[in-house]
Every structure is written in structure tokens, then in C-alpha cells.
Amino acid sequence: MSVVDLLVTIIVVTILVTIALGVVTYIAYKLRLARKPVEEGGVGPATRYFQLHEPPAAGSGPAADPA
């Protein structure tokens, strides 16, 4: 086996291993996404630490009371 044949073999094996690792990584990523629990109740990740403040209705409060 000459040096050129050895280098070609090394390059081909490296390319095939890289493609195989890419496919395995993609499958692992998709499996991880499928296992992720679904968030319940919240509007989104912003409500994890903060509570949404709703202003009082227009007809209630001290400004609406003329007394």
C-alpha cells in the first residue's frame, strides 16, 4: 500500500465518520426535543419570574367614584 492510498483511506474514513456522527447527533437532538416536558399554565418563559399586572377596569377605582 502506497502513501497516497493510505492518505485516501484516512480521508474517506474521516468523512464517513463525520457524516455518521452528524446523523447520530441529529437523532439525539430530535429525541431530546420529543422528551421535553410541555409547559403548563404560563403564557411563556417571561411569566416564570414575573407576574402579569392587569390594571383595574375602567369603571372601578377611586377615579370613578364621585363621592
Side-chain angles (χ1 to χ4, degrees):
M1 185 179 243
S2 69
V3 175
V4 174
D5 290 337
L6 181 65
L7 287 175
V8 168
T9 304
I10 290 172
I11 291 172
V12 168
V13 168
T14 303
I15 291 171
L16 292 177
V17 167
T18 303
I19 292 172
L21 283 175
V23 170
V24 168
T25 304
Y26 180 74
I27 292 171
Y29 172 71
K30 285 298 187 180
L31 288 174
R32 180 177 163 253
L33 285 181
R35 286 185 36 165
K36 185 181 283 190
V38 178
E39 291 186 22
E40 296 178 10
V43 174
T47 60
R48 185 174 192 176
Y49 301 107
F50 301 105
Q51 296 291 331
L52 182 62
H53 175 70
E54 293 287 335
S60 65
D65 190 18

